[in-house]
Amino acid sequence: MQTGNTGFSASLICSLLAVSELVKAAAIMEGNSAAPEKAIRQSQSLCAGEQEYVHKRKQIVLEALQNLGANCTANNVPHIALLGSGGGQRAAVGLMGTLYQMEKEGLLDTLLYLGGVSGSTWSMTSLYNDPEWSSNMDRAVSRLSGPGVELEQVLAWLNERAKDEDFSLTDIWGALTSAGVMKQMDLRNLSDEADRNASNPYPIYNAIEKDCFTNGPIEGKWFELSPHEAGFTELGFFIETSLLGSKFKDGELLEKKPEMDMVKLQGILVSALAHEDIIREYIPTWMNVLGHIDDTAEEYLRVHTVLEKLVALTRSTTKNPTALTDLDTLQNILEVTKANHTEAMWLEAKSPEERKSLAKQWSLEMLAAVETWTQNQQKGGFKTHVFLLIQKILPLIVKWEWGTTENYLYQHQDPTIPPCLHTKERFHLIDAGMVVNVPYPVFLGDKRDIDLMIAPEYSAGNMFETLTLARDYAAEVKKPFPEIDDKILEERDWPKDCYVFEGKEKEPTIIFMPFFNRRNCKDAEEVKAKMEEFSTFQRPFSQEKIEFLLETAKANVKNNKETLLREINKVVLRRKERL
């Protein structure tokens, strides 16, 4: 409807909307009938939104399978999921290459689901920014070589986020990795995808709750996020994704807050540095006491490591000479301060208490050195972008808080909710790779009833570790998992390019595809060298490195197309036999 006075009309509409929101908020606060009947859904079945999407998606999967020659009907469409592993930018680029080649081979539309952990979720958030990405992977891949995001834009986003009481290092990390690695600041919300058509596989992102990971039962660890719902996979408590971050108490929605955008979400999903186990990987050998990792060094290590990584990421967002000079100065401050912290000083501290005191002193010295630089910049009137960024980072490093989110299970009365969730107003969502670096948990069991998991493996560390961890996880939560012959573990240093672990009755079949393997590396030493060259924690890759990873991933799909087709046909028949 159009009116003559469009300015008045828009103003009136805004006023009515504001009044409407106030009425809704009051209704929720008072608990009257206008409030949602059940803000929290407790179930081990799919929500209505996902069911509807999957039903529509199956029509596309059926057509793709028939085009590939599969003897498939609407009644026996298999549930196929591609599981993107962690592995930093190596995983992000690798997943892009895998999906690109799957589109070229006619395989992409056989996927019902796409799940990701850690680095792979960088690609997923970038891909789903385009509602039609699966039919145009050329455009998706081209973004990896885009112009990037200026530091000024990063700061503008952080300035807005800093107003929120849950502002944390996750926001800093999300902004800098979005801008520096994926070269975009995606300001949409995950729930925006809930009303899309089914042209793409249904996306599921994965995180873990930090306190439950450390001290809680397995049921409180794994956290899944989809366009429709977010919640704890094993506990079966879910809320609408748009409500994640809103205030709850005793199962009731008290205050609806704005949904986090994809920049913040990426900060959660790819935040391995939030956990001490990853920080310890950076410990110098001389800080090991009696041959084991000394926990007393953690505070020092996390201050230095996070500052160093954030300076490197910031460098990738700017070409401004002043900003680059500032970053050089900061890097030099970190190196000089670190050089003053010597092995001899550490070994002089005889007890854990003395070492802890020394580590705290070193941490404060490093923070003070950086703080002195910011004070000098301020006195000189040099409020550069880097200065403004460091001003935000320092207090957050001292606080050391990641993934802070309102806890929708706070004081919920259900007895199955563990204390690590029941008693705290906020929980902390971090990188799921700390549990299993591939999103097997969300695809196990009857809920999504997956027939075939395609698992391109981009992870660092011991090959097959994600498989054995997933097997152990499945056993603990009593869900079917295919048998894994432990003999394959002998091939971990120089694996084949494809393994098939065939499901029998309720077990899914898993196609496991190591990224660096016998076909593209001449021996175990070359596999090791490639993993070091493309290590997880380093500055954003050059264009040359990106191209190499893309081509490696594409080749892995091309070389194993026949295996993929064979196993797809097998699960079509298996599903038919179950009718």
Side-chain angles (χ1 to χ4, degrees):
M1 183 179 74
Q2 292 183 337
T3 64
N5 190 342
T6 56
F8 173 79
S9 175
S11 175
L12 179 61
I13 289 170
C14 287
S15 298
L16 289 172
L17 285 171
V19 170
S20 173
E21 288 301 312
L22 286 171
V23 170
K24 287 179 185 176
I28 289 171
M29 292 294 288
E30 294 171 14
N32 70 18
S33 59
E37 288 185 11
K38 276 193 175 181
I40 299 175
R41 186 178 78 94
Q42 183 180 7
S43 176
Q44 287 295 349
S45 61
L46 299 180
C47 68
E50 184 175 340
Q51 286 183 47
E52 182 182 356
Y53 191 104
V54 166
H55 177 73
K56 293 176 182 177
R57 177 67 184 170
K58 281 187 175 182
Q59 306 306 309
I60 295 171
V61 174
L62 175 60
E63 185 178 342
L65 290 170
Q66 290 175 339
N67 290 339
L68 290 167
N71 183 20
C72 188
T73 67
N75 293 326
N76 64 319
V77 174
H79 294 189
I80 302 173
L82 189 137
L83 285 61
S85 78
Q89 193 177 3
R90 180 183 61 252
V93 178
L95 181 59
M96 281 285 197
T98 297
L99 295 170
Y100 177 95
Q101 197 60 39
M102 288 186 76
E103 182 200 7
K104 302 307 173 190
E105 304 292 347
L107 294 166
L108 182 52
D109 277 340
T110 68
L111 301 178
L112 192 60
Y113 286 98
L114 175 59
V117 159
S118 197
S120 286
T121 63
W122 275 335
S123 285
M124 288 178 62
T125 53
S126 176
L127 287 167
Y128 283 90
N129 193 30
D130 177 0
E132 304 294 333
W133 68 262
S134 59
S135 61
N136 196 344
M137 281 302 300
D138 289 285
R139 182 168 57 196
V141 168
S142 70
R143 286 202 206 111
L144 294 173
S145 309
V149 177
E150 288 298 320
L151 186 54
E152 187 175 5
Q153 190 178 344
V154 174
L155 280 168
W157 184 88
L158 288 172
N159 284 335
E160 283 302 307
R161 282 292 305 133
K163 299 172 185 176
D164 192 282
E165 60 183 322
D166 291 335
F167 186 58
S168 71
L169 281 168
T170 296
D171 298 283
I172 303 285
W173 191 250
L176 289 174
T177 53
S178 294
V181 178
M182 297 314 295
K183 300 181 173 66
Q184 62 180 18
M185 296 285 284
D186 188 350
L187 302 182
R188 67 193 170 88
N189 305 124
L190 179 55
S191 66
D192 293 347
E193 298 173 25
D195 297 323
R196 288 184 180 177
N197 61 36
S199 58
N200 302 313
Y202 191 74
I204 302 179
Y205 301 87
N206 299 269
I208 58 171
E209 203 289 311
K210 185 178 181 183
D211 294 332
C212 281
F213 169 64
T214 305
N215 302 308
I218 194 168
E219 290 82 7
K221 294 178 183 178
W222 202 270
F223 193 91
E224 62 181 76
L225 304 98
S226 76
H228 293 95
E229 282 194 330
F232 291 92
T233 303
E234 307 303 340
L235 284 176
F237 285 91
F238 296 92
I239 54 173
E240 291 181 10
T241 301
S242 62
L243 294 178
L244 184 62
S246 293
K247 282 184 178 291
F248 286 78
K249 185 177 180 181
D250 191 18
E252 296 294 327
L253 175 61
L254 299 181
E255 178 188 353
K256 190 176 189 309
K257 290 187 172 185
E259 180 183 354
M260 71 177 73
D261 61 24
M262 299 305 284
V263 177
K264 169 72 177 274
L265 183 58
Q266 285 181 79
I268 286 173
L269 300 171
V270 196
S271 57
L273 286 177
H275 202 273
E276 291 76 8
D277 287 353
I278 294 297
I279 293 293
R280 289 175 194 170
E281 293 181 13
Y282 295 93
I283 192 168
T285 54
W286 53 266
M287 292 188 88
N288 290 359
V289 176
L290 300 177
H292 66 271
I293 300 298
D294 194 335
D295 293 348
T296 58
E298 280 177 13
E299 183 174 357
Y300 170 67
L301 288 170
R302 69 191 189 191
V303 168
H304 178 267
T305 304
V306 170
L307 276 172
E308 189 175 59
K309 300 303 176 190
L310 291 175
V311 166
L313 275 171
T314 306
R315 191 182 297 277
S316 67
T317 68
T318 184
K319 294 180 180 177
N320 181 284
T322 302
L324 291 173
T325 299
D326 286 347
L327 291 167
D328 288 340
T329 302
L330 283 170
Q331 187 62 46
N332 185 60
I333 288 170
L334 294 178
E335 290 172 0
V336 169
T337 309
K338 188 179 179 182
N340 291 332
H341 302 153
T342 66
E343 178 178 359
M345 294 167 67
W346 186 254
L347 294 178
E348 280 179 13
K350 301 301 183 185
S351 69
E353 292 74 19
E354 288 178 5
R355 289 192 294 274
K356 188 171 185 178
S357 176
L358 183 58
K360 187 173 186 64
Q361 178 189 325
W362 286 359
S363 302
L364 293 173
E365 286 174 2
M366 186 163 289
L367 289 168
V370 177
E371 176 67 21
T372 298
W373 176 81
T374 63
Q375 289 172 355
N376 290 337
Q377 292 287 99
Q378 191 165 17
K379 287 176 184 176
F382 304 119
K383 294 188 178 181
T384 63
H385 288 154
V386 173
F387 161 79
L388 294 171
L389 180 63
I390 294 299
Q391 265 200 327
K392 294 186 183 303
I393 289 173
L394 288 181
L396 296 176
I397 290 177
V398 173
K399 194 176 180 183
W400 196 253
E401 198 165 288
W402 295 77
T404 309
T405 309
E406 295 284 351
N407 178 12
Y408 67 94
L409 295 178
Y410 174 55
Q411 292 193 356
H412 195 292
Q413 296 306 307
D414 191 284
T416 63
I417 296 172
C420 56
L421 294 174
H422 175 266
T423 59
K424 296 179 180 178
E425 290 189 50
R426 292 177 175 83
F427 54 41
H428 302 276
L429 297 175
I430 62 170
D431 197 312
M434 300 303 301
V435 174
V436 185
N437 210 26
V438 176
Y440 291 106
V442 290
F443 296 116
L444 297 172
D446 294 333
K447 181 176 178 178
R448 295 187 171 97
D449 194 22
I450 300 299
D451 299 291
L452 177 63
M453 300 181 188
I454 301 171
E457 177 61 276
Y458 316 112
S459 299
N462 292 331
M463 187 57 64
F464 306 115
E465 182 181 40
T466 56
L467 266 176
T468 56
L469 286 172
R471 177 186 62 188
D472 296 344
Y473 183 100
E476 191 167 352
V477 297
K478 297 179 173 56
K479 292 180 180 178
F481 198 81
E483 184 178 349
I484 298 174
D485 187 348
D486 285 342
K487 287 183 179 178
I488 68 158
L489 303 182
E490 298 171 6
E491 300 175 11
R492 63 167 65 92
D493 294 332
W494 191 35
K496 298 171 187 171
D497 60 341
C498 188
Y499 296 82
V500 176
F501 304 98
E502 192 166 353
K504 302 301 181 188
E505 297 177 2
K506 288 193 171 184
E507 302 96 344
T509 292
I510 297 175
I511 300 177
F512 183 81
M513 303 171 67
F515 194 46
F516 294 122
N517 52 64
R518 294 190 183 196
R519 197 186 285 255
N520 56 36
C521 293
K522 65 179 182 294
D523 53 27
E525 286 302 312
E526 187 174 356
V527 171
K528 184 179 178 182
K530 289 295 183 192
M531 290 303 293
E532 289 176 356
E533 181 182 356
F534 297 95
S535 62
T536 303
F537 295 106
Q538 60 173 286
R539 288 180 59 183
F541 294 152
S542 66
Q543 187 58 36
E544 183 181 0
K545 283 189 171 184
I546 289 172
E547 291 295 334
F548 179 85
L549 292 174
L550 285 171
E551 293 308 312
T552 300
K554 292 176 191 178
N556 284 345
V557 173
K558 280 191 285 189
N559 292 336
N560 292 291
K561 181 181 179 181
E562 294 308 313
T563 299
L564 289 163
L565 286 173
R566 183 186 71 231
E567 297 307 319
I568 287 171
N569 278 302
K570 281 185 183 179
V571 295
V572 169
L573 291 173
R574 271 182 61 188
R575 181 141 305 246
K576 188 174 183 180
E577 290 168 359
R578 288 167 53 184
L579 295 175

